Amino acid sequence: SYQKIIANYRIRSASQQLVRAITQAKECALHNQSEIILCGSSNGIFCDGKWSNGQLIVDKESKKLISIFPAVATGITVNWRSNLGHNELIVFTRMGIPEGQWGSFWIENNYSNDRRIVINAVGHIS
């Protein structure tokens, strides 16, 4: 019972972190009027699609690192599943919408307490 409560907390925390990262990437694209990359990163330096190990926000043109988000809690896995099959990153246009892609983040653990964060074609998060 206690482990299930902890698992629920970890899923909720990981979900909130991803929503913050998505929102910040969209806002950076709009504010800076540049294409912004949100990606998974295992080392906090390069995009490699390992979403559970952390996330980066990077300016696509200048390659400037804007933000680093830490790894999610142990036992939690995060996967981005895109309609285009580009599961290692999301590019937001200058208008703050995903560049031709949409999909879902799946946040999962061993207790079947899964969550899904959906980004639609115009960048709406649900």
Side-chain angles (χ1 to χ4, degrees):
S1 169
Y2 176 71
Q3 288 180 336
K4 192 165 186 155
I5 291 169
I6 296 298
N8 281 332
Y9 171 77
R10 289 179 175 168
I11 286 279
R12 193 170 42 253
S13 178
S15 299
Q16 290 168 345
Q17 176 175 309
L18 280 169
V19 168
R20 281 192 307 272
I22 296 163
T23 301
Q24 184 177 349
K26 289 173 51 173
E27 288 173 355
C28 284
L30 285 167
H31 179 71
N32 298 337
Q33 285 296 290
S34 61
E35 291 186 329
I36 299 294
I37 296 171
L38 172 63
C39 64
S41 175
S42 58
N43 61 10
I45 300 170
F46 300 108
C47 294
D48 59 13
K50 305 231 188 291
W51 294 94
S52 301
N53 296 338
Q55 302 88 42
L56 301 177
I57 297 176
V58 180
D59 185 289
K60 186 176 177 182
E61 185 177 325
S62 71
K63 309 291 189 236
K64 177 184 171 196
L65 181 61
I66 297 169
S67 287
I68 301 172
F69 291 84
V72 297
T74 303
I76 304 294
T77 58
V78 177
N79 293 297
W80 167 245
R81 297 181 188 141
S82 164
N83 66 314
L84 298 177
H86 303 285
N87 298 327
E88 61 282 340
L89 58 85
I90 306 167
V91 177
F92 290 95
T93 68
R94 298 171 197 279
M95 293 173 36
I97 61 173
E99 187 178 64
Q101 72 183 101
W102 47 268
S104 299
F105 279 103
W106 292 89
I107 303 139
E108 305 166 319
N109 66 19
N110 297 333
Y111 295 96
S112 298
N113 299 333
D114 304 338
R115 277 208 177 172
R116 182 176 170 202
I117 298 171
V118 177
I119 304 174
N120 70 16
V122 294
H124 179 74
I125 303 167
S126 59

